[in-house]
Amino acid sequence: MLRCSGLPFLPGNTFQDIGRSKFHKSHHFDQRNRVCILVDAKRPGIGGKPLLATDSPDYALPSLYPPSYGPARPSWLEYDRQVLCFNGFFQESLSDVDRIPYQIRKVRILYYLEDDTMQVSEPRTLNSGIPQGCLVTRQRIPRPAPYDGEFTSLLDLNINHTVQLFDRVYTVTGCDDFTRHDPATEIRRQQDSAKLAKRPAYKIDTLGKFLQYDRKVLRFKGVWDDRGSVFGDVHELEVLYHLSDDTFEIKEKLPVNSGRDSNGMFLRRGRLPKTFDHLPTMGESTPVMVLNVVGGGLKGGRYLTDCVGIGKTGGNYYRDADLRIGARLNVYGRMVLLTGCDRYTEGYYRERYGLEDFTPIYGYSASREQFVHGRRTERELPPFNGWGTHEDSEGNCLTLEPKPPKINFRKFVVYDRCSLRFGARMISNVRENNDRFFVINYYLSDDTISVYEIPIRNSGFLGGEFIKRRKLFLPQQDPYGAERPACYGPHHFYLGATVRLQDHQFHITNADIYALCFMEQHCEEFPLSNVGKIVSKLRDAMQPQYKEYVAKHMAKLRPIKIDGRTVSTITYEALRDILIELLADRIVDQEIVTLCRLFSAESEQPDPCDRELVRSAVHAELNRALWSDLERTKEHIYHLEPTNAEWLTAQRLRTIVKACKLPLDGALVDKMLQVLNRGEQGNISTDDFLAMLNPAAVPSKPIQPLNIKHDVCHFTPYRVTGKLVNWDELLAHIDLERALTNQTS
């Protein structure tokens, strides 16, 4: 096989020797005494061709290291990422047209020690006009003929010598510091520098003090009054001063079941500075001071140190002379008062400093009021800019990472889907607006308000949603101030109240039965529905003129029979006139309606409902939700009442509706339970209930799309017109007649 010496030994650059006819390989084993052994003699190559000296497997280039001084690991580990960099140039001839015979092009020759590969690159020159960059990619480069069987090695790269790489001859002119490095010179320099003193002659004697005061500690009792901060308290401390190295260690005495998450360590052992305003800089606190340097700096020359301690200061640290009972220590901004010490500490100060007064401070106390001014004041928020809600703006100002405002989850669960509905009329200077009737919904779960207008035929107003559901602020407030404006609460809505919502004034004239019952059940939050306070107000007003006032209005009473017993009654209108005459503006309609409901002489009858309308609405809701789980509902009823499932209470049916996840609104469920058939004991028929939930058995009449809450479960205000009030029971609760009888007797 022949090859061109000027080209790399790669496929395509070699040629077959067409004159060769033998291609056998010489064997290296012979038989001696019928035993196969390896022949030591040198055998010819392929086809019996004699081998060159460089073809021998024992041939190798001269080593760079003396015997037994070479690296023990392989080169790809020993010389990983180590590259020798040489500077050089080559001469390039030009044409006669340029009138310049040749030009010099500078190159960099990189030699990789890990695999003996080389790379040649030319630094780029601005506007050179010739392609520059990598001239020879990284590879092993063969030597020129007749040594083309070998590769260029490190021994061929010498400064002021030439080397031929492929078809170009490069002149090596220099190398970098790493390439020029000489280990022998470095060893001599280290030996010379080792003769110089590394440490100064100045010696710090700490052993003597350590041997004298080892394990000898001054023990003080102290307190830190942290009542100046929020939730702060008085902390009892134990101050330890180690005489061997003048260091402090402070531990905290935690009371039993104190709830403090601490291990009792107040200050780790170390020197305690008297004043601390910044971190020490590099070299500020060092035991050695350099006076002069001779030579090339601290690293390569000689330096003189302050061996006698000229200008050396002990530092502004606490010592044993600064400690005494009643002294205050500044522990990095925390003032610690020393209140007592142990017997060894007393003997130490008595012997060394001649002190005799060691009276401890018992019952340390300080008025908490003197620390109030040091507490952090509440953060002042910027004014509201109108974007979003006040809760969102406060979240952006209080924390670096804004978080969504938290809701009262407990309140949301308790009052979910609970709303108070009030009827109101608008108060306006426009005459037509005074005839408009509105429904105000107050949602107890999140304190939001919505207003709907009830359409009146031929009034000119369409009706519908008037104010969307939101929190409404009380009037006469600055909505763009720093503080959050106060919002309407449930106690602001009652019969006879006048509220201003979104610049519209409404007068509340009525309320539904649920709202009145809720306010009476929570009378501590709604004082106008508290019967005890109302009766007490009537008692105080009627006491001076009780008999005359009752006799004056006897003509308005009307006797009726209730359960076979004759009872004196009075109409709501007459009772209202009597109470207004007695209390004038000190009584409102809410209090009068509360008395009328409590002392009513009539039984409450629910408002009539259209059974077919409710049935059609239930079927429409079930079909819209694609509900078809009637069999599971029957199974659930049988599971609850396995023996007597023909009649169920209304509360049990509400539980079944929620457990089976029927897609029905709560108000629609109430209307459905109201129209179902009932038995003698007031229970509801289970068959009628299941038939109401089965649109396929008896289809209902189709209805147009409607609003369930307003078209089926419309607002039904509590009607008080014509109601009769039990006058005898009202006077019995006022209980003035018996009190006057006892006084006269």
Side-chain angles (χ1 to χ4, degrees):
M1 183 171 57
L2 303 177
R3 59 181 292 268
C4 181
S5 60
L7 298 177
F9 187 64
L10 295 174
N13 297 335
T14 60
F15 306 95
Q16 296 291 338
D17 187 3
I18 58 177
R20 174 177 292 188
S21 59
K22 296 181 180 181
F23 300 95
H24 68 276
K25 185 177 181 181
S26 301
H27 66 280
H28 294 271
F29 291 91
D30 280 339
Q31 287 188 356
R32 293 184 181 178
N33 298 328
R34 296 181 181 181
V35 177
C36 295
I37 61 175
L38 181 63
V39 180
D40 296 335
K42 191 174 182 181
R43 298 302 179 94
I46 300 298
K49 182 180 179 181
L51 297 176
L52 300 177
T54 56
D55 294 336
S56 174
D58 299 332
Y59 174 79
L61 292 175
S63 176
L64 299 176
Y65 301 93
S68 70
Y69 280 90
R73 296 187 301 173
S75 60
W76 57 274
L77 286 177
E78 185 70 24
Y79 303 115
D80 184 26
R81 300 182 184 181
Q82 295 186 13
V83 183
L84 303 182
C85 180
F86 295 89
N87 300 324
F89 68 90
F90 69 92
Q91 180 177 327
E92 183 181 28
S93 60
L94 301 176
S95 62
D96 297 337
V97 180
D98 297 333
R99 295 180 298 180
I100 300 176
Y102 62 89
Q103 66 175 352
I104 300 299
R105 298 176 62 176
K106 299 180 180 180
V107 296
R108 284 200 315 164
I109 304 175
L110 302 179
Y111 188 89
Y112 297 87
L113 295 173
E114 57 183 352
D115 55 358
D116 296 329
T117 57
M118 300 178 62
Q119 180 182 355
V120 182
S121 61
E122 180 180 5
R124 297 184 182 275
T125 305
L126 186 62
N127 298 327
S128 63
I130 56 176
Q132 295 176 324
C134 183
L135 301 181
V136 179
T137 59
R138 180 178 174 179
Q139 59 183 301
R140 298 190 68 184
I141 302 176
R143 291 184 177 183
Y147 305 101
D148 50 356
E150 305 173 5
F151 293 96
T152 304
S153 65
L154 182 59
L155 298 178
D156 299 325
L157 300 176
N158 292 322
I159 299 177
N160 297 331
H161 286 71
T162 60
V163 58
Q164 181 177 352
L165 305 179
F166 294 128
D167 57 344
R168 288 178 181 168
V169 177
Y170 299 90
T171 302
V172 182
T173 59
C175 61
D176 59 357
D177 294 339
F178 175 74
T179 307
R180 195 185 298 271
H181 175 69
D182 183 10
T185 305
E186 181 68 20
I187 292 176
R188 295 192 190 96
R189 190 184 64 81
Q190 293 178 1
Q191 292 176 353
D192 294 340
S193 61
K195 300 177 182 179
L196 301 177
K198 296 299 182 182
R199 295 184 177 274
Y202 179 68
K203 184 179 180 180
I204 303 175
D205 184 14
T206 57
L207 181 60
K209 189 173 183 180
F210 173 78
L211 296 176
Q212 182 180 0
Y213 295 107
D214 183 27
R215 298 184 181 182
K216 294 182 180 180
V217 181
L218 304 181
R219 189 181 304 269
F220 291 88
K221 295 180 181 179
V223 293
W224 170 47
D225 198 337
D226 188 34
R227 291 180 293 180
S229 60
V230 180
F231 308 113
D233 202 354
V234 179
H235 301 261
E236 296 184 5
L237 306 176
E238 185 178 17
V239 182
L240 305 178
Y241 181 82
H242 298 268
L243 295 172
S244 60
D245 53 359
D246 300 326
T247 56
F248 278 85
E249 185 179 7
I250 303 179
K251 299 180 181 180
E252 182 177 3
K253 296 181 179 179
L254 296 177
V256 180
N257 299 327
S258 63
R260 298 175 185 171
D261 187 10
S262 175
N263 58 356
M265 182 59 68
F266 188 81
L267 178 67
R268 292 183 179 180
R269 181 174 176 178
R271 302 182 69 184
L272 180 61
K274 294 183 179 179
T275 57
F276 181 81
D277 53 358
H278 67 282
L279 293 175
T281 59
M282 294 182 61
E284 181 177 352
S285 57
T286 176
V288 179
M289 180 179 296
V290 177
L291 297 179
N292 194 7
V293 179
V294 180
L298 294 176
K299 201 169 184 181
R302 296 185 60 185
Y303 52 91
L304 300 179
T305 59
D306 185 8
C307 58
V308 294
I310 300 176
K312 181 177 177 58
T313 59
N316 193 17
Y317 295 95
Y318 281 106
R319 304 279 184 180
D320 55 349
D322 302 321
L323 306 181
R324 65 183 184 279
I325 298 178
R328 294 183 179 270
L329 304 181
N330 184 4
V331 183
Y332 297 99
R334 301 176 179 179
M335 302 306 297
V336 176
L337 174 65
L338 301 182
T339 59
C341 61
D342 60 354
R343 293 185 178 180
Y344 174 77
T345 306
E346 293 179 3
Y348 175 83
Y349 280 94
R350 185 180 293 108
E351 178 182 354
R352 181 162 184 176
Y353 295 101
L355 298 180
E356 295 295 339
D357 186 10
F358 299 99
T359 304
I361 301 176
Y362 293 106
Y364 168 78
S365 63
S367 59
R368 187 178 291 270
E369 288 73 13
Q370 66 176 337
F371 300 101
V372 175
H373 68 278
R375 294 182 179 178
R376 185 178 63 180
T377 58
E378 295 294 334
R379 183 177 300 176
E380 184 178 356
L381 298 177
F384 179 62
N385 57 4
W387 293 92
T389 61
H390 289 78
E391 292 82 356
D392 294 335
S393 299
E394 291 179 3
N396 293 334
C397 300
L398 293 178
T399 59
L400 185 61
E401 297 182 0
K403 298 180 180 179
K406 295 182 179 180
I407 63 174
N408 191 343
F409 186 74
R410 184 185 299 274
K411 183 178 180 180
F412 176 79
V413 172
V414 173
Y415 297 114
D416 185 25
R417 299 183 181 181
C418 296
S419 62
L420 307 180
R421 298 197 293 179
F422 302 90
R425 292 192 178 275
M426 182 180 289
I427 301 177
S428 175
N429 296 328
V430 181
R431 184 180 61 182
E432 290 77 6
N433 290 339
N434 295 328
D435 298 332
R436 303 168 66 181
F437 189 76
F438 298 85
V439 177
I440 301 175
N441 292 339
Y442 188 92
Y443 301 90
L444 298 172
S445 60
D446 54 358
D447 298 326
T448 55
I449 301 172
S450 64
V451 180
Y452 292 87
E453 182 178 3
I454 297 180
I456 301 176
R457 190 173 183 180
N458 298 328
S459 64
F461 300 99
L462 298 177
E465 188 178 42
F466 189 76
I467 298 178
K468 291 185 178 181
R469 180 177 176 178
R470 69 184 69 174
K471 286 187 177 182
L472 299 179
F473 303 133
L474 294 174
Q476 299 179 357
Q477 292 188 102
D478 183 14
Y480 299 101
E483 297 182 359
R484 185 189 305 179
C487 300
Y488 275 101
H491 59 279
H492 291 102
F493 297 90
Y494 54 88
L495 299 182
T498 301
V499 294
R500 190 175 188 85
L501 308 177
Q502 294 287 351
D503 296 333
H504 297 282
Q505 197 166 3
F506 299 92
H507 179 72
I508 299 177
T509 59
N510 218 320
D512 62 354
I513 298 178
Y514 175 80
L516 295 176
C517 294
F518 182 85
M519 289 188 290
E520 292 170 2
Q521 294 173 1
H522 300 80
C523 57
E524 66 279 355
E525 300 179 10
F526 301 92
L528 298 179
S529 297
N530 193 332
V531 180
K533 292 184 178 180
I534 300 173
V535 172
S536 177
K537 184 189 299 186
L538 292 177
R539 184 184 299 111
D540 295 341
M542 295 176 64
Q543 185 172 5
Q545 46 179 353
Y546 173 70
K547 293 186 176 181
E548 294 80 1
Y549 195 80
V550 172
K552 178 181 177 181
H553 299 285
M554 288 295 294
K556 299 179 181 180
L557 303 181
R558 186 177 63 180
I560 63 172
K561 287 189 177 181
I562 300 178
D563 298 334
R565 184 170 54 92
T566 303
V567 178
S568 299
T569 61
I570 188 174
T571 62
Y572 167 78
E573 291 79 3
L575 178 63
R576 186 174 184 274
D577 295 339
I578 293 175
L579 296 180
I580 291 178
E581 180 185 355
L582 178 64
L583 298 173
D585 57 349
R586 290 182 295 167
I587 192 170
V588 295
D589 294 343
Q590 179 74 27
E591 297 174 315
I592 300 175
V593 171
T594 302
L595 291 177
C596 180
R597 285 174 48 81
L598 179 62
F599 304 106
S600 177
E602 301 175 352
S603 58
E604 296 292 339
Q605 297 294 333
D607 294 336
C609 297
D610 187 359
R611 178 184 173 91
E612 290 300 324
L613 178 61
V614 174
R615 184 166 172 267
S616 300
V618 171
H619 290 179
E621 290 295 313
L622 295 178
N623 292 331
R624 185 171 62 177
L626 301 177
W627 185 83
S628 59
D629 207 0
L630 186 61
E631 297 299 329
R632 184 179 179 183
T633 305
K634 294 180 181 180
E635 182 182 352
H636 188 73
I637 294 175
Y638 178 77
H639 178 71
L640 293 178
E641 300 289 343
T643 57
N644 187 16
E646 296 181 0
W647 303 92
L648 296 176
T649 62
Q651 184 62 31
R652 179 56 63 92
L653 289 180
R654 287 190 178 91
T655 305
I656 293 173
V657 169
K658 291 184 178 180
C660 297
K661 297 182 180 180
L662 292 176
L664 301 178
D665 187 79
L668 183 58
V669 173
D670 295 339
K671 291 295 181 182
M672 181 182 66
L673 298 179
Q674 184 178 346
V675 300
L676 292 177
N677 298 330
R678 294 180 178 266
E680 297 179 356
Q681 298 180 357
N683 296 335
I684 299 175
S685 174
T686 306
D687 297 336
D688 193 17
F689 171 72
L690 295 176
M692 182 72 72
L693 300 179
N694 191 1
V698 182
S700 60
K701 297 180 181 180
I703 59 175
Q704 296 180 355
L706 45 80
N707 192 323
I708 300 298
K709 289 187 177 181
H710 295 84
D711 297 340
V712 179
C713 312
H714 55 83
F715 175 71
T716 55
Y718 177 73
R719 305 294 181 183
V720 293
T721 304
K723 294 285 184 178
L724 296 180
V725 181
N726 192 333
W727 177 258
D728 295 340
E729 188 177 358
L730 176 61
L731 294 181
H733 273 76
I734 295 176
D735 198 19
L736 280 177
E737 185 173 356
R738 186 178 60 178
L740 294 176
T741 303
N742 296 335
Q743 290 178 3
T744 56
S745 61

